[in-house]
Amino acid sequence: MDKILRINMTTQEVKVEPVPGKYAALGGRALTSQFVLDEVEPTCDPLGPFNKLIYAPGLLSGTSAPSSGRLSVGGKSPLTGTIKESNAGGISSQKLANLGYKAVIVEGQAPKGEFYLISITPAGVKLEPAGDLTGKGGYDTVALCREKFGQKVGVIFIGPAGEMLMANAGVGTNDGEGNASRYAGRGGLGAVMGSKGLKAIIIDSPTTFDVPVKDPERFKAAARKFAKILLDHPVCGSGLPSYGTNVLMNIINEAGTLPTRNFRFGRFDKASEVSGEKLAEVAVARGGKATHACHPGCVMRCSNVYPMPNGKVCAPIEYESAWGFGPNLEVSDLDDVAMMNWLCNDIGLDTIDAGATLGVLMEAGVIPFGDGKAAIKALEEVYTGSPLGRIIGSGTTFAGKLYGVTRVPTVKGQAIPAYDPRSCRGNGVTYATTTMGADHTAGYAVTANILKVGGFVEPTSDQGQIELSRNLQIATAAVDSTGLCLFIAFAVLDNPEGLPTVVEMLNAMYGTSLTTDDVVALGQSVLKNERAFNAKAGFTKADDRLPEFFYNEELAPHNTKFALRDELDEVFNF
Amino acid sequence: MDKILRINMTTQEVKVEPVPGKYAALGGRALTSQFVLDEVEPTCDPLGPFNKLIYAPGLLSGTSAPSSGRLSVGGKSPLTGTIKESNAGGISSQKLANLGYKAVIVEGQAPKGEFYLISITPAGVKLEPAGDLTGKGGYDTVALCREKFGQKVGVIFIGPAGEMLMANAGVGTNDGEGNASRYAGRGGLGAVMGSKGLKAIIIDSPTTFDVPVKDPERFKAAARKFAKILLDHPVCGSGLPSYGTNVLMNIINEAGTLPTRNFRFGRFDKASEVSGEKLAEVAVARGGKATHACHPGCVMRCSNVYPMPNGKVCAPIEYESAWGFGPNLEVSDLDDVAMMNWLCNDIGLDTIDAGATLGVLMEAGVIPFGDGKAAIKALEEVYTGSPLGRIIGSGTTFAGKLYGVTRVPTVKGQAIPAYDPRSCRGNGVTYATTTMGADHTAGYAVTANILKVGGFVEPTSDQGQIELSRNLQIATAAVDSTGLCLFIAFAVLDNPEGLPTVVEMLNAMYGTSLTTDDVVALGQSVLKNERAFNAKAGFTKADDRLPEFFYNEELAPHNTKFALRDELDEVFNF
């Protein structure tokens, strides 16, 4: 990974540059955030010519390190106004890395209404008009690209929502079977891609695991050891591979922190009907799969393949998506949930914010709570760009503003996901303070709060939550830089061999002599960069708070409110 | 004015309180902003129970001081998120002052969907259900209130937009003839009033000019002198009374700073068709009025009464409204302009932001530029609360976000009015830095930039604009505290006797010995309070900038861009 690909959509110039020394030790989120800080004016219009979009494999992507195929996408977010890194599985990260690209930087913008595609192959890089891909949904886009460029290509794409510049549009990629369903969904980077006039990037690489490694034997040993560490952990080796992330539905419901009816209650009496267990049963009965890997070399295989009665296939249904379209809307029909998920994949919307948006529209009385069919119909309007479609595609905060709703579950413009902050307070600290706008993956305190992974911190107490979230946010920023899936954290938190083995893989690959302290330092420096960008963009501690109603409304069954305010300013004490 | 009326909409408690010493020397904007800073948590949800809405007459309101009938309305804005003071003419300020009320504070909120009205009469204060007023447009609301409470009452009201909590809803009042058309329009305080469950405040006072004055003879002499100063000035005594504020249309067009086609050009070839001269001609020919006073005792009489072919009457059409619905949309049919203005008065929307919103929707291709009839039809959707109606009613920034438009002329969420900042740069400085979000009235540099009132500062040069805007912002904050109409500033800026005479009126009324320096200090302290609130609400210098396109697009005919950035931070150097 010794090249950077820089494409200017205004001039149509395609340049391959060497990697400046400053960026050599960075990958994934560390790299995209550094580029954004260095090259994007923090007050620029996210959809204007001065924003940039950066795609980067992680430090370990494209090697045999298990579960290391995450692709980071970075830029300034039109949803939050903050810096944004959103990452996804799928096969594009490994292919980019195997072609030697450390990052792809897209800048400028094509003339309004024109769309292009970039193909990156061993033969070179080509920028060409997107032609009949323009206007196509995610599924057709990937199918057409595979038809034209070969069945093994990775496709990074946007759906109609991204083309229409909707603030909740995500950046999609495909898995090995061509499912257009792995999303760097959060924060509207799909609209940034749309604003550049870029419909898709096609990546064709003959290899997947052959990124050069300094000491192959040492690397192989460390990777083998790391795979065993993952497989030995009950979550990584057993829970996730059995039922996928939606194994959480019953657990979070039982814990009383499953946001129900737009965060009105902490339990949903029909949660089991949309749970991972139920999903696995129905999927398998219909010829789908309860378990499935989103990229080659993943040992956790937390994905799934869910055939719907209408003949379409949704792959996968993640827990947070099932929550957003299920309990959050008081919808308990799994096929309705799957259809909403499928629609978001096709339209190109983030499922978490789409679910939360529908919840706010139900709060406003535009759609009845519990009416899955009405929610599907509303979601379908996004294709047409009708006023309601625009409202839905623009995310939760704008929908709330337009209907004068005060119960709007967002921080810095981005929707709070599937764990209520009042009874999973570590996550509440993360939602409030992360540089990304509300994001569970930025510091997933469900571990210690609910799952008793990495210790236990009482979820309805304020005690210990600041420190818990801080440490998780630092660790996450580091993990997001390696290309490793965040789910390795379950094993790393519980197994003292975990982190040293990640460091061993990095040292074997790069010939470095990093320590575990260096990994912590990397995570801290990523967060500092992101905070610096946000401060220049105008964010202050006033933005590091939860919405008013979490402080004033009790959540059943624990009858608890969120109370942390000024303490939140202590999260970033480094 | 020795009483404060405090009404809690949650508990329905009505309290009359004495005026604490801290507030005794304050009125109008100085008073509302001090109350908001002292009593409203800056990070609160503007539409939630913790915001407050404060109505206050100015220090000179209810006396014979000429043109002193402005009513200030203050709170936290749902449009901008900043502190907000918006003021209006009409007859309510004088009546409130004559009943002895220095301020009315509305707090808490009624149960969702319930609307109330407050009547304030010499017999006392009553809070009662709004009954059949609920859902009514502004014109019917005022007519029904005058029917029920008498033809002479002042009515402070919201239209359907305020009831539906739309972020661009204004607070309306009536003139002496019952026209429901004087708006404290900017910043969405109508939605705050709606969120409280308050449809209208009816004020009945037998007197208009009888607020007690310490030294009546001295006061009368000063007031007479001030009236003469106004009448002797070419703008206050001649320009405004002849053609109203729309006398500016041809002047601003000639100056090449008339924003046309959503700020694409600085001149509109059909400007004269919607000018004040044309308006006067048509209005008089149809039996309307070219000149009219919005409140008793105004010597400038800058209002007008415009009968439309459909039988409705729009009174008045201000320059900024005529601009928003005319040149900004490339509409040159004065009847179309009048109809959009009438609709905003009835629906209860701010005309400036409504015009700018329609401009952004035209930029997005939702409505064709130049099509007044289509714009009228779109505006009518606001009544129904349809998705498009919600988008229009929520103001320019949200419309821009929903359609991914980057040419969105707003600062801090509020639309830039009728003077392009590139070729009237003093106004540009005001738009960027005022505590209110873009607002021409906050520091009206058109005076020295275009009208050569109070000296001359070359409008397309950066030289002198910071100081010009600073001084005007300070002066304006003081004027807005007196209840005097801002238009007195034309005379005060040119006549060295002007400011001392205002001070003389204040001293005669209150028995004080203020100097002109004290007036400057008052203005500065108002701005400091407002800045303090905004800083706590999370605003930084990153918010004190114009939208990107003003820095990057040249404006014809002067082919000039806005260039001031860091210099803007020097405006508040006191």
Side-chain angles (χ1 to χ4, degrees), chain B residues 188-209:
Chain B
L189 294 178
V192 177
M193 194 162 159
S195 77
K196 303 283 171 217
L198 182 57
K199 175 69 180 177
I201 303 175
I202 290 95
I203 306 152
D204 191 9
S205 160
T207 59
T208 299
F209 301 117

PDB file of all heavy atoms in Angstrom, chain B residues 188-209:
ATOM      1  N   GLY B 188     -38.865  32.708  13.895  1.00  0.00           N
ATOM      2  CA  GLY B 188     -39.736  31.604  14.312  1.00  0.00           C
ATOM      3  C   GLY B 188     -40.351  31.728  15.689  1.00  0.00           C
ATOM      4  O   GLY B 188     -40.777  30.725  16.271  1.00  0.00           O
ATOM      5  N   LEU B 189     -40.449  32.960  16.222  1.00  0.00           N
ATOM      6  CA  LEU B 189     -41.043  33.082  17.553  1.00  0.00           C
ATOM      7  C   LEU B 189     -42.529  32.727  17.536  1.00  0.00           C
ATOM      8  O   LEU B 189     -43.101  32.412  18.583  1.00  0.00           O
ATOM      9  CB  LEU B 189     -40.808  34.492  18.121  1.00  0.00           C
ATOM     10  CG  LEU B 189     -39.320  34.792  18.409  1.00  0.00           C
ATOM     11  CD1 LEU B 189     -39.159  36.229  18.916  1.00  0.00           C
ATOM     12  CD2 LEU B 189     -38.745  33.807  19.432  1.00  0.00           C
ATOM     13  N   GLY B 190     -43.151  32.719  16.350  1.00  0.00           N
ATOM     14  CA  GLY B 190     -44.536  32.251  16.243  1.00  0.00           C
ATOM     15  C   GLY B 190     -44.647  30.766  16.579  1.00  0.00           C
ATOM     16  O   GLY B 190     -45.649  30.315  17.145  1.00  0.00           O
ATOM     17  N   ALA B 191     -43.619  30.004  16.235  1.00  0.00           N
ATOM     18  CA  ALA B 191     -43.626  28.579  16.596  1.00  0.00           C
ATOM     19  C   ALA B 191     -43.447  28.407  18.100  1.00  0.00           C
ATOM     20  O   ALA B 191     -44.027  27.495  18.707  1.00  0.00           O
ATOM     21  CB  ALA B 191     -42.517  27.836  15.837  1.00  0.00           C
ATOM     22  N   VAL B 192     -42.650  29.293  18.709  1.00  0.00           N
ATOM     23  CA  VAL B 192     -42.502  29.234  20.173  1.00  0.00           C
ATOM     24  C   VAL B 192     -43.858  29.528  20.820  1.00  0.00           C
ATOM     25  O   VAL B 192     -44.283  28.826  21.747  1.00  0.00           O
ATOM     26  CB  VAL B 192     -41.426  30.233  20.663  1.00  0.00           C
ATOM     27  CG1 VAL B 192     -41.331  30.211  22.182  1.00  0.00           C
ATOM     28  CG2 VAL B 192     -40.068  29.912  20.035  1.00  0.00           C
ATOM     29  N   MET B 193     -44.557  30.535  20.303  1.00  0.00           N
ATOM     30  CA  MET B 193     -45.893  30.874  20.825  1.00  0.00           C
ATOM     31  C   MET B 193     -46.831  29.671  20.640  1.00  0.00           C
ATOM     32  O   MET B 193     -47.579  29.307  21.553  1.00  0.00           O
ATOM     33  CB  MET B 193     -46.407  32.123  20.101  1.00  0.00           C
ATOM     34  CG  MET B 193     -47.611  32.777  20.747  1.00  0.00           C
ATOM     35  SD  MET B 193     -47.803  34.506  20.157  1.00  0.00           S
ATOM     36  CE  MET B 193     -49.553  34.766  20.523  1.00  0.00           C
ATOM     37  N   GLY B 194     -46.741  29.036  19.470  1.00  0.00           N
ATOM     38  CA  GLY B 194     -47.538  27.829  19.222  1.00  0.00           C
ATOM     39  C   GLY B 194     -47.183  26.711  20.185  1.00  0.00           C
ATOM     40  O   GLY B 194     -48.063  25.993  20.674  1.00  0.00           O
ATOM     41  N   SER B 195     -45.911  26.570  20.473  1.00  0.00           N
ATOM     42  CA  SER B 195     -45.477  25.476  21.364  1.00  0.00           C
ATOM     43  C   SER B 195     -45.961  25.688  22.783  1.00  0.00           C
ATOM     44  O   SER B 195     -46.089  24.740  23.554  1.00  0.00           O
ATOM     45  CB  SER B 195     -43.948  25.349  21.340  1.00  0.00           C
ATOM     46  OG  SER B 195     -43.334  26.359  22.125  1.00  0.00           O
ATOM     47  N   LYS B 196     -46.247  26.951  23.121  1.00  0.00           N
ATOM     48  CA  LYS B 196     -46.802  27.240  24.450  1.00  0.00           C
ATOM     49  C   LYS B 196     -48.303  26.940  24.492  1.00  0.00           C
ATOM     50  O   LYS B 196     -48.903  26.894  25.564  1.00  0.00           O
ATOM     51  CB  LYS B 196     -46.589  28.721  24.805  1.00  0.00           C
ATOM     52  CG  LYS B 196     -45.142  29.187  24.777  1.00  0.00           C
ATOM     53  CD  LYS B 196     -44.396  28.724  25.990  1.00  0.00           C
ATOM     54  CE  LYS B 196     -42.911  28.956  25.922  1.00  0.00           C
ATOM     55  NZ  LYS B 196     -42.131  27.885  26.525  1.00  0.00           N
ATOM     56  N   GLY B 197     -48.909  26.799  23.305  1.00  0.00           N
ATOM     57  CA  GLY B 197     -50.366  26.628  23.242  1.00  0.00           C
ATOM     58  C   GLY B 197     -51.091  27.960  23.315  1.00  0.00           C
ATOM     59  O   GLY B 197     -52.231  28.047  23.753  1.00  0.00           O
ATOM     60  N   LEU B 198     -50.407  29.022  22.868  1.00  0.00           N
ATOM     61  CA  LEU B 198     -50.987  30.356  22.956  1.00  0.00           C
ATOM     62  C   LEU B 198     -51.322  30.862  21.554  1.00  0.00           C
ATOM     63  O   LEU B 198     -50.438  31.080  20.732  1.00  0.00           O
ATOM     64  CB  LEU B 198     -49.987  31.301  23.646  1.00  0.00           C
ATOM     65  CG  LEU B 198     -50.442  32.744  23.880  1.00  0.00           C
ATOM     66  CD1 LEU B 198     -51.737  32.801  24.700  1.00  0.00           C
ATOM     67  CD2 LEU B 198     -49.323  33.527  24.579  1.00  0.00           C
ATOM     68  N   LYS B 199     -52.610  31.039  21.278  1.00  0.00           N
ATOM     69  CA  LYS B 199     -53.045  31.499  19.954  1.00  0.00           C
ATOM     70  C   LYS B 199     -53.023  33.020  19.854  1.00  0.00           C
ATOM     71  O   LYS B 199     -52.670  33.564  18.811  1.00  0.00           O
ATOM     72  CB  LYS B 199     -54.466  30.974  19.691  1.00  0.00           C
ATOM     73  CG  LYS B 199     -55.111  31.470  18.405  1.00  0.00           C
ATOM     74  CD  LYS B 199     -54.454  30.920  17.146  1.00  0.00           C
ATOM     75  CE  LYS B 199     -55.148  31.448  15.889  1.00  0.00           C
ATOM     76  NZ  LYS B 199     -54.487  30.991  14.655  1.00  0.00           N
ATOM     77  N   ALA B 200     -53.419  33.688  20.909  1.00  0.00           N
ATOM     78  CA  ALA B 200     -53.540  35.149  20.805  1.00  0.00           C
ATOM     79  C   ALA B 200     -53.506  35.816  22.170  1.00  0.00           C
ATOM     80  O   ALA B 200     -53.872  35.217  23.189  1.00  0.00           O
ATOM     81  CB  ALA B 200     -54.828  35.519  20.083  1.00  0.00           C
ATOM     82  N   ILE B 201     -53.031  37.050  22.164  1.00  0.00           N
ATOM     83  CA  ILE B 201     -53.126  37.921  23.335  1.00  0.00           C
ATOM     84  C   ILE B 201     -53.926  39.142  22.895  1.00  0.00           C
ATOM     85  O   ILE B 201     -53.581  39.787  21.891  1.00  0.00           O
ATOM     86  CB  ILE B 201     -51.739  38.376  23.835  1.00  0.00           C
ATOM     87  CG1 ILE B 201     -50.853  37.170  24.164  1.00  0.00           C
ATOM     88  CG2 ILE B 201     -51.868  39.282  25.056  1.00  0.00           C
ATOM     89  CD1 ILE B 201     -49.421  37.548  24.548  1.00  0.00           C
ATOM     90  N   ILE B 202     -54.993  39.428  23.613  1.00  0.00           N
ATOM     91  CA  ILE B 202     -55.831  40.580  23.290  1.00  0.00           C
ATOM     92  C   ILE B 202     -55.559  41.668  24.323  1.00  0.00           C
ATOM     93  O   ILE B 202     -55.577  41.400  25.523  1.00  0.00           O
ATOM     94  CB  ILE B 202     -57.335  40.200  23.308  1.00  0.00           C
ATOM     95  CG1 ILE B 202     -57.643  39.298  22.119  1.00  0.00           C
ATOM     96  CG2 ILE B 202     -58.216  41.455  23.210  1.00  0.00           C
ATOM     97  CD1 ILE B 202     -57.591  37.858  22.438  1.00  0.00           C
ATOM     98  N   ILE B 203     -55.311  42.872  23.851  1.00  0.00           N
ATOM     99  CA  ILE B 203     -54.977  43.958  24.764  1.00  0.00           C
ATOM    100  C   ILE B 203     -55.937  45.112  24.538  1.00  0.00           C
ATOM    101  O   ILE B 203     -56.035  45.656  23.434  1.00  0.00           O
ATOM    102  CB  ILE B 203     -53.531  44.429  24.546  1.00  0.00           C
ATOM    103  CG1 ILE B 203     -52.575  43.238  24.635  1.00  0.00           C
ATOM    104  CG2 ILE B 203     -53.139  45.481  25.580  1.00  0.00           C
ATOM    105  CD1 ILE B 203     -51.323  43.416  23.832  1.00  0.00           C
ATOM    106  N   ASP B 204     -56.643  45.469  25.600  1.00  0.00           N
ATOM    107  CA  ASP B 204     -57.633  46.535  25.497  1.00  0.00           C
ATOM    108  C   ASP B 204     -57.272  47.639  26.480  1.00  0.00           C
ATOM    109  O   ASP B 204     -57.254  47.425  27.688  1.00  0.00           O
ATOM    110  CB  ASP B 204     -59.024  45.969  25.822  1.00  0.00           C
ATOM    111  CG  ASP B 204     -60.114  46.964  25.481  1.00  0.00           C
ATOM    112  OD1 ASP B 204     -59.793  47.993  24.848  1.00  0.00           O
ATOM    113  OD2 ASP B 204     -61.271  46.718  25.854  1.00  0.00           O
ATOM    114  N   SER B 205     -56.975  48.784  25.948  1.00  0.00           N
ATOM    115  CA  SER B 205     -56.634  49.915  26.811  1.00  0.00           C
ATOM    116  C   SER B 205     -57.392  51.136  26.330  1.00  0.00           C
ATOM    117  O   SER B 205     -57.450  51.387  25.131  1.00  0.00           O
ATOM    118  CB  SER B 205     -55.130  50.194  26.735  1.00  0.00           C
ATOM    119  OG  SER B 205     -54.854  51.497  27.174  1.00  0.00           O
ATOM    120  N   PRO B 206     -57.972  51.889  27.259  1.00  0.00           N
ATOM    121  CA  PRO B 206     -58.703  53.086  26.828  1.00  0.00           C
ATOM    122  C   PRO B 206     -57.770  54.187  26.346  1.00  0.00           C
ATOM    123  O   PRO B 206     -58.193  55.090  25.641  1.00  0.00           O
ATOM    124  CB  PRO B 206     -59.459  53.510  28.093  1.00  0.00           C
ATOM    125  CG  PRO B 206     -58.674  52.929  29.230  1.00  0.00           C
ATOM    126  CD  PRO B 206     -58.003  51.692  28.717  1.00  0.00           C
ATOM    127  N   THR B 207     -56.499  54.118  26.713  1.00  0.00           N
ATOM    128  CA  THR B 207     -55.577  55.198  26.326  1.00  0.00           C
ATOM    129  C   THR B 207     -54.445  54.657  25.474  1.00  0.00           C
ATOM    130  O   THR B 207     -54.190  53.442  25.440  1.00  0.00           O
ATOM    131  CB  THR B 207     -54.972  55.876  27.569  1.00  0.00           C
ATOM    132  OG1 THR B 207     -54.274  54.870  28.318  1.00  0.00           O
ATOM    133  CG2 THR B 207     -56.041  56.502  28.434  1.00  0.00           C
ATOM    134  N   THR B 208     -53.751  55.559  24.790  1.00  0.00           N
ATOM    135  CA  THR B 208     -52.671  55.183  23.879  1.00  0.00           C
ATOM    136  C   THR B 208     -51.365  55.920  24.201  1.00  0.00           C
ATOM    137  O   THR B 208     -50.277  55.375  24.047  1.00  0.00           O
ATOM    138  CB  THR B 208     -53.076  55.516  22.429  1.00  0.00           C
ATOM    139  OG1 THR B 208     -54.250  54.763  22.099  1.00  0.00           O
ATOM    140  CG2 THR B 208     -51.971  55.157  21.435  1.00  0.00           C
ATOM    141  N   PHE B 209     -51.512  57.179  24.666  1.00  0.00           N
ATOM    142  CA  PHE B 209     -50.316  58.028  24.832  1.00  0.00           C
ATOM    143  C   PHE B 209     -50.095  58.451  26.286  1.00  0.00           C
ATOM    144  O   PHE B 209     -49.321  59.364  26.546  1.00  0.00           O
ATOM    145  CB  PHE B 209     -50.466  59.299  23.979  1.00  0.00           C
ATOM    146  CG  PHE B 209     -50.641  59.039  22.504  1.00  0.00           C
ATOM    147  CD1 PHE B 209     -51.806  59.414  21.851  1.00  0.00           C
ATOM    148  CD2 PHE B 209     -49.627  58.422  21.764  1.00  0.00           C
ATOM    149  CE1 PHE B 209     -51.969  59.197  20.487  1.00  0.00           C
ATOM    150  CE2 PHE B 209     -49.795  58.201  20.400  1.00  0.00           C
ATOM    151  CZ  PHE B 209     -50.964  58.581  19.758  1.00  0.00           C
TER     152      PHE B 209
END
